Amino acid sequence: MTSSDQNGQDWAVDVRDLTVAYREKPVLWDVDLQVPDGVLMAIVGPNGAGKTTLIKAILELVPSAAGSVLIHGQTYQKDRSRIAYVPQRGSVDWDFPTNVLDVVTMGMYGSLGWFRRPGSKERERALKALAEVGMESFADRQISQLSGGQQQRVFLARALVQDADVFLMDEPFQGVDATTERAIVDLLRSLRKRGKTVIVVHHDLQTVPEYFDQVLLLNVRRIAAGPVEEVFTEDNLRATYGGRVAFVSAVLARRDD
Amino acid sequence: MDLLVDLFNDYTLRTVALGAALLGISSGALGGFALLRRQSLLGDAISHAALPGIALAFLLTGSKSPLVLVLGAGVVGWFGSVLIAALTRRTPITYDTSLGILLSVFFGFGLVLLTFIQRMPNANQAGLDSFLFGQAAALMQRDIMVIVGIGSVVLLITVLFWKEFKLISFDPDVAQTLGFPVRALEHLLTALLVAAIVIGLQTVGVVLMSAMIIAPAAAARQWTDRLGVMIVLAAIIGAVSGVGGAVSSSLVPNLPTGPIIVVVASIIVLISLLFALRRGFVFRKVREWKSGRALRVDAVLVDLYTLASQHETAGYPHSERVLNVMSTMSGTARRTLKLLETLELARPIDAERWALTSEGEERARRVIDRQFGGRS
């Protein structure tokens, strides 16, 4: 292992040399990433850069060809309950016959263990998580009747009930209304205050400096990672987004306003 | 009435009905999960793939004991489902194509074996071809015992793993991050589906068994938004179809069971598609029409109000033609005005002109508040 470990630094998430390939084509190449405790980190990069794959590889939802992942110094298999995953909204069928409370309760199925059914204690925790994302009045709502933003907040509530230390979120801001965006930002800050670590796949470059402490610029390889003010630079963005220079300048121009 | 009396008195009929009910319950319940996991057609492939299993079991053992045949069907049906998964995962062939390939190859092979068995010199083979379209009348007590035994186990496991099955059906990725062995649970669910299918083959037949998987689940989905209610409802519909088909085919000589069961199930599906309260076609149309009507009413009300607000009283009358011109949503205003009159929101002043009542004025103001956030 490298010297940073000997400094006594216990990373919340420590990714080394992670490589993932689909049918011989590398999607992630030799990615290193160290995320300290209690930060909000954005993962940005163009389409096909491997942002979602990185999250899924950390969670072992896709097999990695090489590399290692440690969560607070332990392998993921050893204690899955320390990570909560918020997948993309479109990854499930929202016409599934169930309601909001039930979906949030699913976040506790792992801690319930085999065969045990959720009871009133679980119900209370689910309602509390729903209140945290401003959805308490929707508990009995059929999930097919939710707007996109409400669906997203239900997913966040399901992650909250897991009592995890590390949250991995895949595009939570994708196509949500202003209310939901506000609610997510508030939630992220409250998680940071409680010492949680949150890694978010993010599309909107403009809001990166406002919402996040750290950023990973990714395009198959790691371009740069670290505190936003240090690594969210024009050069790094250019290196990440390649030829789309005009686009990058526009982002930075607006940022400097 | 006679039928009901028969059902309770006639031992054979009672046995057949019991078997058909239990196979309907298990295929309905497992079909519900298959439907939600978008695997309805997997049932079709598995039941067709089971045919060579039946033939091979007979060829290898020379026995027609139901347990032996069901075991053969189960093993080969399960093998078929594993092949489909492997084809989809390891080759560029898509899921629907691998279903189609497997179904036709296995079914064809089964027919070849069946023909071969038919030509064999010993007489023991008679009756195997009834597995094609099902023959409830030929069910014997030992067949029913197999159905009851396997069916109960299938249902018991489904109840035990309820929460896990729900989770992997809704969000398998998150299920895995919560520490559940998703792949194993999926295999278990598929194994239960295979079991639910093979116990129905003798009664319903391999050709139409998939209807017992798909139809009850599709009908049940129409009536409810709760998973538990849906699965129970699918089981009940499965039982009703199964019993209806099995009993009528036992009573009428040479009436094949499978097709009758499918007819009963299809009627239930049709009724559900049309008349289910929230998702049914008819009530959806009624709701659309009602909300369309409400929009038209509001549009004309607002028009009348806007016109009147240019005069001193809100009740100031205006011509129908003006209203026709004003709003594209009101279309021909006459029909809507008539409706407004019955609702006592507007009244005709003379042949041409209409005015708001005070109630209409009130509602128009509310509509405007709602639409423009109270800015007017």
Side-chain angles (χ1 to χ4, degrees):
Chain A
M1 291 259 166
T2 53
S3 57
S4 64
D5 293 286
Q6 275 103 57
N7 298 342
Q9 173 74 282
D10 182 19
W11 301 107
V13 177
D14 186 359
V15 176
R16 309 266 165 178
D17 312 324
L18 192 66
T19 299
V20 176
Y22 285 140
R23 300 215 165 100
E24 284 133 51
K25 187 173 164 271
V27 205
L28 279 181
W29 189 256
D30 202 20
V31 172
D32 286 300
L33 177 67
Q34 280 76 38
V35 189
D37 253 332
V39 302
L40 306 180
M41 175 182 257
I43 304 178
V44 299
N47 290 332
K51 306 185 290 287
T52 296
T53 307
L54 173 59
I55 281 191
K56 287 195 167 178
I58 292 174
L59 293 163
E60 296 175 6
L61 291 172
V62 298
S64 43
S68 69
V69 176
L70 292 178
I71 311 297
H72 285 120
Q74 289 193 325
T75 60
Y76 177 52
Q77 280 119 332
K78 211 159 180 192
D79 191 0
R80 286 171 187 270
S81 67
R82 303 188 85 167
I83 300 196
Y85 170 47
V86 180
Q88 286 185 21
R89 197 149 48 75
S91 64
V92 303
D93 171 16
W94 288 94
D95 199 30
F96 195 87
T98 187
N99 64 19
V100 166
L101 188 71
D102 203 30
V103 171
V104 177
T105 310
M106 286 182 195
M108 287 172 276
Y109 281 9
S111 54
L112 273 174
W114 294 97
F115 311 129
R116 269 190 55 212
R117 301 285 164 89
S120 59
K121 204 183 100 210
E122 282 72 28
R123 190 188 151 81
E124 242 162 71
R125 266 174 72 191
L127 286 172
K128 213 177 119 230
L130 277 172
E132 248 186 284
V133 294
M135 290 283 291
E136 64 273 38
S137 55
F138 290 85
D140 295 324
R141 184 71 68 93
Q142 161 65 24
I143 58 167
S144 64
Q145 320 220 323
L146 299 175
S147 72
Q150 292 164 343
Q151 293 174 350
Q152 191 62 59
R153 283 186 272 162
V154 170
F155 265 9
L156 289 166
R158 181 179 62 178
L160 284 177
V161 298
Q162 293 179 38
D163 250 345
D165 303 326
V166 177
F167 290 77
L168 302 184
M169 304 182 179
D170 201 347
E171 306 235 10
F173 293 102
Q174 178 74 46
V176 300
D177 50 290
T179 320
T180 301
E181 177 139 354
R182 207 63 251 162
I184 300 177
V185 171
D186 289 346
L187 179 68
L188 291 181
R189 293 189 175 148
S190 131
L191 286 172
R192 176 172 54 191
K193 212 180 276 169
R194 287 181 256 167
K196 314 284 190 188
T197 305
V198 190
I199 301 175
V200 178
V201 172
H202 197 55
H203 243 133
D204 182 17
L205 292 177
Q206 264 117 51
T207 53
V208 167
E210 189 192 339
Y211 294 169
F212 297 98
D213 315 315
Q214 299 224 347
V215 63
L216 163 69
L217 295 132
L218 185 73
N219 191 349
V220 183
R221 294 156 193 272
R222 160 189 165 142
I223 307 297
V228 172
E229 57 273 20
E230 284 171 30
V231 300
F232 200 62
T233 61
E234 182 166 353
D235 283 348
N236 282 338
L237 281 169
R238 258 184 236 286
T240 312
Y241 286 85
R244 296 157 71 193
V245 176
F247 159 73
V248 169
S249 311
V251 168
L252 290 166
R254 216 171 301 176
R255 188 189 146 193
D256 295 337
D257 279 346
Chain B
M1 243 21 287
D2 282 355
L3 185 75
L4 273 181
V5 174
D6 279 352
L7 203 56
F8 285 106
N9 291 334
D10 185 328
Y11 175 77
T12 326
L13 207 55
R14 216 166 53 206
T15 323
V16 167
L18 178 69
L22 208 75
L23 85 86
I25 288 171
S26 36
S27 59
L30 268 299
F33 281 107
L35 178 95
L36 292 174
R37 300 174 68 224
R38 299 172 187 275
Q39 292 192 331
S40 290
L41 283 176
L42 183 62
D44 204 20
I46 290 173
S47 64
H48 281 78
L51 185 64
I54 294 165
L56 284 172
F58 175 75
L59 280 175
L60 290 177
T61 64
S63 154
K64 277 199 306 184
S65 141
L67 202 55
V68 168
L69 297 187
V70 158
L71 216 63
V75 168
V76 178
W78 163 256
F79 177 63
S81 76
V82 170
L83 264 187
I84 290 169
L87 276 178
T88 312
R89 204 164 10 235
R90 297 190 197 288
T91 70
I93 300 173
T94 56
Y95 184 61
D96 55 334
T97 313
S98 23
L99 279 179
I101 293 173
L102 197 108
L103 184 152
S104 41
V105 167
F106 274 54
F107 186 56
F109 181 51
L111 284 179
V112 169
L113 287 180
L114 218 55
T115 316
F116 173 71
I117 291 171
Q118 231 94 77
R119 299 223 173 115
M120 278 180 6
N122 84 49
N124 188 29
Q125 79 274 24
L128 271 190
D129 55 339
S130 74
F131 272 92
L132 278 178
F133 292 106
Q135 191 48 266
L139 285 181
M140 292 193 278
Q141 202 187 353
R142 53 178 194 169
D143 301 312
I144 306 293
M145 299 281 280
V146 170
I147 293 177
V148 171
I150 298 180
S152 314
V153 173
V154 165
L155 289 175
L156 184 72
I157 297 179
T158 309
V159 171
L160 268 179
F161 287 91
W162 180 261
K163 135 175 149 282
E164 286 76 16
F165 286 163
K166 175 164 75 177
L167 183 60
I168 65 163
S169 301
F170 178 64
D171 197 337
D173 277 357
V174 161
Q176 195 168 330
T177 65
L178 288 172
F180 289 100
V182 172
R183 192 64 72 76
L185 284 167
E186 281 174 350
H187 281 313
L188 177 62
L189 201 47
T190 306
L192 294 178
L193 183 67
V194 171
I197 286 170
V198 294
I199 59 173
L201 292 181
Q202 196 182 356
T203 314
V204 187
V206 298
V207 178
L208 292 170
M209 187 57 206
S210 61
M212 283 298 279
I213 298 293
I214 301 170
R221 182 68 192 89
Q222 288 293 107
W223 296 97
T224 175
D225 278 331
R226 307 281 311 165
L227 179 66
V229 180
M230 176 189 158
I231 300 292
V232 170
L233 210 55
I236 293 172
I237 294 171
V240 169
S241 321
V243 172
V247 169
S248 50
S249 95
S250 314
L251 294 174
V252 183
N254 289 327
L255 191 61
T257 316
I260 303 297
I261 289 182
V262 173
V263 168
V264 175
S266 305
I267 290 170
I268 298 178
V269 169
L270 192 68
I271 291 172
S272 306
L273 286 178
L274 287 177
F275 300 112
L277 288 176
R278 218 175 56 69
R279 302 170 70 97
F281 179 78
V282 170
F283 289 97
R284 242 185 19 231
K285 280 289 161 214
V286 169
R287 265 199 310 279
E288 269 170 31
W289 179 75
K290 270 191 180 157
S291 59
R293 198 180 68 172
L295 279 179
R296 282 198 307 276
V297 165
D298 286 352
V300 173
L301 266 182
V302 169
D303 288 352
L304 267 172
Y305 186 83
T306 319
L307 284 172
S309 65
Q310 289 156 18
H311 301 269
E312 49 281 13
T313 60
Y316 196 91
H318 283 280
S319 149
E320 190 184 314
R321 269 178 307 193
V322 181
L323 293 168
N324 267 337
V325 173
M326 270 189 80
S327 168
T328 45
M329 207 183 319
S330 55
T332 50
R334 168 149 291 265
R335 248 176 48 213
T336 313
L337 283 167
K338 284 276 183 227
L339 187 65
L340 285 177
E341 193 185 352
T342 16
L343 295 170
E344 297 184 350
L345 297 171
R347 61 200 156 83
I349 301 298
D350 50 42
E352 253 296 282
R353 295 181 306 155
W354 291 74
L356 286 174
T357 63
S358 55
E359 221 174 302
E361 212 184 305
E362 187 68 23
R363 174 156 168 186
R365 237 181 258 129
R366 276 205 310 272
V367 171
I368 291 172
D369 271 0
R370 200 170 63 224
Q371 286 178 346
F372 303 104
R375 262 178 288 133
S376 61

